[in-house]
Structure formats: structure tokens, C-alpha cells
Amino acid sequence: MNTQSILSDIKKKKLSPVYLLHGEEPYFIDLISDAIEHQVLDEAQKGFDQTVVYGKDADFSSIISMAKRYPMMSDHQVIVVKEAQNLKWKDDELLQKYLGQPTPSTVLVFAHKYSKFDKRKKAYKLFEKAGVVLESAKLYDDKVAGWINEQLTAANRKIHPQAAAMMAEFLGTDLSKVANEIEKLMLNVPADREIGAADIERNIGISKDFNSFELNTALAKRNSFKAFQIVEYFAANPKSNPMPVVIGTLGTYFTKILKYHYLPEKNSAAAAKALGVHPFFVKEYELAARNFNRRKTFEIIHLIKEFDLKSKGMHVGPLTSSGDLLSELIFKILN
């Protein structure tokens, strides 16, 4: 089952006796465990029939003992085990026995965060048979903009692809942080208007003119004046634009340009799918590929790797500041 179908079932009170929520991305795990914690019982019932424990303070004996009880004031009792990765899973015999015949009126949730549950364990197979298992995978960098768009579409809101790309580039893969910024945007931008780059600047603090996204665009157009303007801004604001992030973004961008060169089909839909970008951006990659042929693109990727090492203190000559290094890199890319 996916996150949305699980949340939909919880809202409809279609509950399973056990939930194993595991994986490297905590956002989806928190989303589901919080929904169970806040939606299954009302406030009066929670005092009698809801228990929240933490893995480091609990053991399977006490958890299973609680799970075997019957609810006092409602149809279900809810037990949420947070930070379940801290339980002593090597001593899970009692859990295995319980999973063979879970109490139907109990909703037992294990929120196993920051790592995958060992699927070789007998308990994993029993979880699959007894209830709901969700693996919460980390979102890759190039999927974040799409996820932002999906969240806003689900809320009947629109965001311009450029604005979504800016958010993704600036906020990274911390989905809790991204979700908070999406909420902020929905509160502050009128519902009947598309969220644009100016809204991102006003509400999140990302400069719509001076960011890595705009640097890539300036390079694609071979607009050296704009590119060096952005580099100067980065040098003056190093905390907001750390060199490793800028270098990483350049590396990803030129790798996609190289990929574009080798695409068998270069129409908008096929290219967007192959590159993992919104169709809106395909024309920019087409322009960049015209301005940087295959050989030059290979050279640029090699340069980016070289300057990545320099930014980390290796093979550094007289240029030592991140601003100087980035200026030299951009100069070599454009020449």
C-alpha cells in the first residue's frame, strides 16, 4: 500500500491491527503514525485507550501485554511505538507470536525510522500477513520538484515549474522542511493564483534572480554577465549558497546536458521523461546542448570534478576562497 491509500483508510476508520512503517524517509512514517494518533480516537477516548511509547524505553513484553488488552471507551485501543528502530529486535519472539494472532480491537503501530527493517527477519513476513507494511524511501534530488507539484495539485493549487525547481534546489530532500514551506505558501498566496518565483522569494527567502537554478540557466544561454553577477552574489552570501551545493547542482545539470546529447528521441515528452525534468525545461536543455557540444560537455564535467576537489582543499593553488574558485570554474566553462 502507498501512503495516500493508507491515510485514506485511516480517515474512513478502515484500520489494521498492526502497522510496520519503516525506511530512510521519516516524513511519510510521521505522517501515517500522526494520523493514527490523532484521528482514530477522540480526545476523551485517548485518555483510556491510547498509549504512546518510545523504543528506547520499551520492550516487547510490555508492548505485547498492552496490545492484548481490550479497549475501555471505544471500539479500538491505539498503541504507537515511536523510534521503534531502538527496540531490541533480536528478542522479538513475543512479537512474532502476537503477529500470528493479533488482537482485532488493537491498532499497534511500529514507527521504525531512518533505516529499512530487515526483510529477512521472520517478523517482517508476519507483519505483511497480519497488517500493513509501508517502506518509506528517500526521495532523490531530481524527484523533489515533482513531489512539490503533486502536493499542491492534491490541494487544488498550482505552482509554476520554475518555482517548484527553485524550492527543490534550495530545500533539498528534507521533506518535512519542504512540506512546511508548502503550507506557508498555501497560506500566503491567494488560492486562485499560480505560485510563482516571486512568491518563493517573498515567502521562503530564496532569491529568484540569484540562485543555482538561475546560474545554470545563465550558463545554458552563455550569458556571462548574468553568470558572474550570480557568482558575486554567492561569494557575498556563502552561507546561503555553499560551494559544495553549487558544485553539486552544476554537476547534475551538465550531466543531464550530456544525457540530452545522446537521447535517441529529443521531442519534449521523451526528453523530459529521460532527463527527469518538467517538459517546461526541455527547451533550455536543447539550447544548452547547442551551446556546449558533446566534447565541451565532457570537458566541463571533468572541470566540475576537479573544482569539487579543490573546494575540499585538494590541489589548491593561490586561489583559496570559494568565490575565487567558483569564478575560475565559471570562466573555464564559458571559454
Side-chain angles (χ1 to χ4, degrees), residues 63-322:
I63 292 169
I64 301 309
S65 178
M66 288 186 287
K68 288 181 177 179
R69 299 175 193 159
Y70 289 94
M72 296 175 64
M73 301 292 290
S74 61
D75 293 332
H76 294 92
Q77 73 151 335
V78 174
I79 301 169
V80 179
V81 185
K82 297 190 175 184
E83 310 292 347
Q85 70 275 9
N86 294 323
L87 283 165
K88 294 179 180 177
W89 286 97
K90 62 181 180 180
D91 303 322
D92 65 354
E93 292 85 358
L94 285 172
L95 173 65
Q96 291 180 33
K97 188 175 179 182
Y98 177 80
L99 292 174
Q101 195 172 359
T103 306
S105 57
T106 293
V107 178
L108 176 57
V109 183
F110 290 89
H112 186 289
K113 292 161 63 170
Y114 310 116
S115 63
K116 296 178 185 179
F117 193 89
D118 188 347
K119 295 179 183 179
R120 298 167 298 179
K121 291 181 72 67
K122 185 179 178 181
Y124 184 82
K125 300 296 182 186
L126 292 169
F127 270 119
E128 288 186 310
K129 289 180 182 178
V132 170
V133 174
L134 174 81
E135 182 177 329
S136 181
K138 271 281 186 189
L139 220 59
Y140 290 110
D141 290 344
D142 62 351
K143 303 295 182 186
V144 176
W147 187 79
I148 291 168
N149 187 62
E150 287 172 8
Q151 302 310 298
L152 286 160
T153 300
N156 295 314
R157 302 295 297 270
K158 291 183 179 180
I159 184 168
H160 192 279
Q162 184 177 0
M166 283 172 60
M167 285 182 68
E169 180 235 318
F170 184 78
L171 299 170
T173 58
D174 184 342
L175 295 190
S176 296
K177 186 176 180 181
V178 176
N180 287 337
E181 297 300 342
I182 290 172
E183 287 290 330
K184 190 189 296 182
L185 286 168
M186 289 197 293
L187 286 171
N188 292 303
V189 179
D192 60 350
R193 184 164 65 73
E194 181 181 68
I195 296 167
D199 298 308
I200 304 302
E201 182 170 35
R202 278 194 298 270
N203 293 285
I204 302 179
I206 309 167
S207 171
K208 66 181 178 65
D209 298 313
F210 300 100
N211 55 70
S212 292
F213 179 83
E214 290 298 325
L215 176 60
N216 291 340
T217 301
L219 292 173
K221 295 176 180 178
R222 281 193 170 273
N223 185 339
S224 58
F225 178 76
K226 178 66 174 178
F228 283 106
Q229 264 194 326
I230 295 170
V231 169
E232 285 180 17
Y233 179 84
F234 285 178
N237 299 274
K239 288 185 179 178
S240 301
N241 307 277
M243 184 72 165
V245 173
V246 178
I247 291 278
T249 304
L250 285 169
T252 300
Y253 189 68
F254 278 93
T255 299
K256 287 183 178 179
I257 294 170
L258 184 62
K259 192 172 183 179
Y260 181 87
H261 275 296
Y262 286 94
L263 289 179
E265 292 184 54
K266 290 185 169 66
N267 65 73
S268 180
K273 185 176 180 181
L275 299 177
V277 301
H278 192 281
F280 174 83
F281 298 109
V282 172
K283 285 186 178 179
E284 183 179 307
Y285 282 98
E286 182 185 354
L287 174 63
R290 286 203 303 268
N291 282 329
F292 300 98
N293 61 29
R294 291 183 187 182
R295 181 176 177 180
K296 180 62 176 178
T297 306
F298 271 116
E299 288 177 6
I300 290 169
I301 291 170
H302 177 76
L303 275 171
I304 290 169
K305 290 179 179 177
E306 178 188 329
F307 276 78
D308 181 43
L309 292 174
K310 286 185 177 183
S311 72
K312 294 168 181 172
M314 299 177 67
H315 315 302
V316 181
L319 298 173
T320 54
S321 76
S322 61

Side-chain angles (χ1 to χ4, degrees), residues 36-37 40-41 49-52 76-80 107 109:
I36 293 170
E37 189 177 340
V40 174
L41 304 178
D49 292 324
Q50 182 159 293
T51 306
V52 176
H76 294 92
Q77 73 151 335
V78 174
I79 301 169
V80 179
V107 178
V109 183

